[in-house]
């Protein structure tokens, strides 16, 4: 049966429903769609009647309960700071512990009563989660789009930075849901930017692309490989506190040097200085010199002066590019295309520096603050079935695994695996009659789970009683196309099963991901030694347990001499474990094995014979 959709706004029949692409940015957000014109399909950003496509990612909560989003909210940043929320993207999927060192950067109140759970923002006597705040922005984008398109908008593709982890992606998805959007796909921003330029749209095309994204407050660079319509993130690097805001700040300082008597105690003057600094910056993207005034006093800045001021920031972005290239295992000359993203890439010094580093022309023809949304629209169009050959693939930034005996990390999906991805492994019970098994999911590169990050844990219950080692518990990790992990465990003999969506309690910043990778390299030697120790100890402890069980059962049939001997060996093994000496543990366990084997075998034989006799009766 064919379905017909009726456009409720216009009353006309609608052949295909619209799926919009949304760039939910730290500073600005916007919506784009794919239009069809004379058989050609191309993405366009939705434009308000005033000509603007960008909606500042700012939300203001008025005292009477009214909510402002966008420019109206941005205008209140200085006059109503406690009730005006900006940069909420930085808080997505984070705990207070994660953002603690940055708390001073927010003019609004971030709640810190519990460092483990996700952060909230206090406005008056109400608390809002970053998900709810992002939902406000998305809702505004949705209703603007509905107004402009004159049709309901319920389906969307939303972009996130390539370094966003599972929690951050999930939070973004939840924000969409809360705004009444069916989020069909979460797409990496650099992937979207490449798509906007049509890169990788041909099946036989193989390319390496660098995407350089310098926005208002964040910078990141990603190296992508596109082959056969598949996008793979080879590496990503960046700085979550570097962007156009820094340019504004140093320019503001320069303006203050020119007019030192400006009264910075007046909020209006501070506001004026900030807005002027940004205006000067933008003007210098097209002109060699700016002459104007701030609070009625003359100022003059040349492009050369501006370049000197921002040079250190630009240099830092280039360092990141070199790191990303290194992580991807390639050189600048291997990159086939460099895509420029973010409003701050309009700055000539930025363009020139990036062009020089990669030694090639840049993809910068599209509007840099729209290009991500345009690519999201292209992806939406693919999902709508208008471009069937495409597939998107990303990689996991850190290894995923579960805790096994002795606190060891058992990796199921190694870092840099392509997603979607699936991996499974079988485990067994350690104790007789064990009816539950704890599955703890960790993320990280270290050998011991204690050094990695716990994402989730659950208990597989209801395993029927059976001897240790007989149960077969299959644990399966599934990462979907959005990068969200599902973990399931099933006892194969009984069919007892359980599945969870991993909703980590708190997320990782890209700096932390980097630190974890660095740690794993620094401690690689250590870790191998510790793993060996843990394995030796686990083996020794099992040996002691088996011995204890044996003594309980057959101890009565042992001679006094045999009991004393066994005891002495037990003590030696325990001492070796306590000394944390891997070789000593091995030696003591082996010695115990050799010494107790003869009478253990004799007793087993006797027990077996007794059992056989019993059966013959
Ligand atoms: P985000 O991705 O963080 O939401 P955007 O990509 O929208 O940010 O970039 C916003 C930044 O771009 C702001 O710092 C803004 O001042 C800067 N910007 C916009 N236009 C220009 C321009 N013409 N020259 C220099 N910087 C610009
Ligand atoms: Mg952006």
């Amino acid at each position: 049966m064919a379905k017909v959709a009726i456009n409720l706004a216009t009353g006309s029949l609608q052949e295909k429903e619209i799926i919009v692409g949304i760039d939910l940015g730290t500073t600005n957000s916007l919506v784009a769609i794919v239009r069809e014109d004379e058989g050609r399909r191309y993405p366009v950003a939705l434009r308000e009647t005033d000509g603007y496509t960008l909606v500042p990612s700012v939300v203001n909560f008025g005292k009477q309960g009214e909510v402002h989003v966008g420019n109206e909210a941005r205008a209140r940043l200085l006059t109503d700071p406690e009730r005006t929320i900006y940069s909420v993207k930085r808080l997505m999927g984070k705990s207070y512990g994660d953002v603690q060192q940055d708390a001073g950067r927010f003019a609004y109140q971030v709640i810190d009563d519990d460092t483990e759970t996700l952060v909230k923002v206090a406005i008056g006597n109400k608390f809002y989660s970053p998900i709810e705040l992002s939902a406000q922005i998305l809702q505004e984008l949705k209703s603007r789009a509905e107004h402009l398109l004159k049709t309901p908008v319920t389906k969307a593709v939303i972009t996130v930075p390539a370094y966003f982890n599972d929690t951050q992606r999930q939070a973004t998805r939840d924000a969409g849901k809360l705004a009444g959007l069916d989020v069909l796909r979460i797409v990496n921003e650099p992937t979207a930017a490449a798509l906007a330029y049509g890169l990788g749209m041909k099946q036989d095309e193989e390319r390496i692309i660098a995407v350089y994204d310098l926005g208002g407050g964040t910078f990141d660079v990603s190296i992508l490989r596109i082959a056969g319509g598949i996008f793979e993130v080879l590496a990503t690097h960046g700085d979550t506190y570097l962007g156009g805001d820094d340019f504004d700040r140093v320019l503001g300082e320069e303006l203050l040097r020119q007019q030192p008597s400006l009264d910075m105690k007046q909020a209006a003057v501070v506001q004026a200085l900030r807005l002027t600094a940004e205006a000067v910056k933008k003007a210098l993207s097209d002109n060699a010199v700016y002459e104007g005034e701030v609070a009625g006093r003359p100022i003059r800045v040349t492009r050369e002066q501006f370049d000197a001021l921002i040079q250190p920031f630009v240099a830092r972005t280039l360092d990141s590019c070199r790191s990303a290239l290194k992580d991807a295992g390639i050189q600048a000359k291997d990159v086939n295309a460099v895509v420029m993203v973010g409003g701050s890439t309009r700055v000539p010094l930025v363009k020139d520096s990036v062009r020089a580093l990669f030694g090639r022309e840049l993809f910068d023809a599209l509007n840099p603050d729209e290009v991500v949304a345009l690519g999201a629209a292209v992806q939406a169009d693919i999902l709508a079935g208008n471009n069937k050959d495409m597939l998107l693939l990303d990689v996991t930034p850190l290894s995923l695994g579960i805790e096994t005996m002795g606190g060891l990390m058992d990796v199921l999906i190694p870092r840099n695996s392509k997603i979607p991805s699936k991996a499974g492994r079988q485990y067994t019970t350690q104790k007789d009659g064990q009816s539950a098994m704890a599955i703890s999911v960790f993320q990280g590169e270290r050998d011991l789970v204690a050094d990695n990050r716990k994402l989730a844990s659950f208990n597989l219950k209801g395993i029927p009683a059976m001897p240790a080692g007989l149960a077969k518990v299959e644990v399966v990790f599934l990462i979907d196309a959005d990068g969200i992990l599902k973990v399931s465990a099933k006892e194969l003999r009984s069919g007892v099963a359980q599945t969870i969506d991993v909703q980590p309690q708190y997320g990782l910043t890209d700096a932390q991901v980097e630190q974890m990778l660095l740690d794993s390299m620094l401690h690689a030697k250590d870790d191998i030694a510790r793993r060996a120790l843990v394995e030796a100890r686990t083996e020794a402890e099992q040996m002691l347990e088996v011995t204890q069980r044996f003594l309980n059962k057959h101890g009565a049939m042992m001679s006094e001499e045999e009991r004393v001997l066994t005891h002495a060996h037990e003590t030696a093994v325990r001492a070796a474990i306590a000394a944390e000496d891997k070789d000593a543990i091995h030696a003591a366990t082996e010695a115990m094995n050799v010494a107790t084997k003869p009478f253990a075998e004799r007793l087993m034989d006797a027990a077996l014979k007794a059992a056989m006799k019993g059966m013959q009766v």
Side-chain angles (χ1 to χ4, degrees), residues 23-28 89 189 213-216 218 341-343 368-369 372:
D23 173 4
L24 184 60
T26 311
T27 319
N28 297 303
K89 189 172 177 178
E189 288 163 13
D213 184 347
L214 189 60
T218 61
V341 181
D369 30 46
V372 167

Side-chain angles (χ1 to χ4, degrees), residues 23 25-29 54 57 213-218 243-245 247-248 278 281-283 285-286 341-347 368-369:
D23 173 4
T26 311
T27 319
N28 297 303
S29 300
L54 301 184
S57 307
D213 184 347
L214 189 60
T218 61
D245 297 346
F247 300 176
D248 298 349
E278 190 179 1
K281 172 184 77 174
K282 288 184 178 173
S285 288
D286 299 315
V341 181
S344 300
T345 59
R346 288 207 184 82
V347 173
D369 30 46

Side-chain angles (χ1 to χ4, degrees), residues 440-485:
S440 296
V441 183
F442 286 83
Q443 184 178 39
E445 307 312 308
R446 302 287 299 277
D447 275 354
L448 296 182
V449 293
D451 297 322
N452 290 329
R453 259 210 158 180
K454 187 169 186 167
L455 295 181
S457 67
F458 64 98
N459 237 338
L460 178 66
K461 288 190 202 124
I463 301 173
M466 51 185 125
L470 224 58
K472 274 192 188 165
V473 176
E474 183 170 63
V475 175
V476 174
F477 276 30
L478 183 79
I479 309 182
D480 68 15
D482 296 333
I484 290 165
L485 175 67

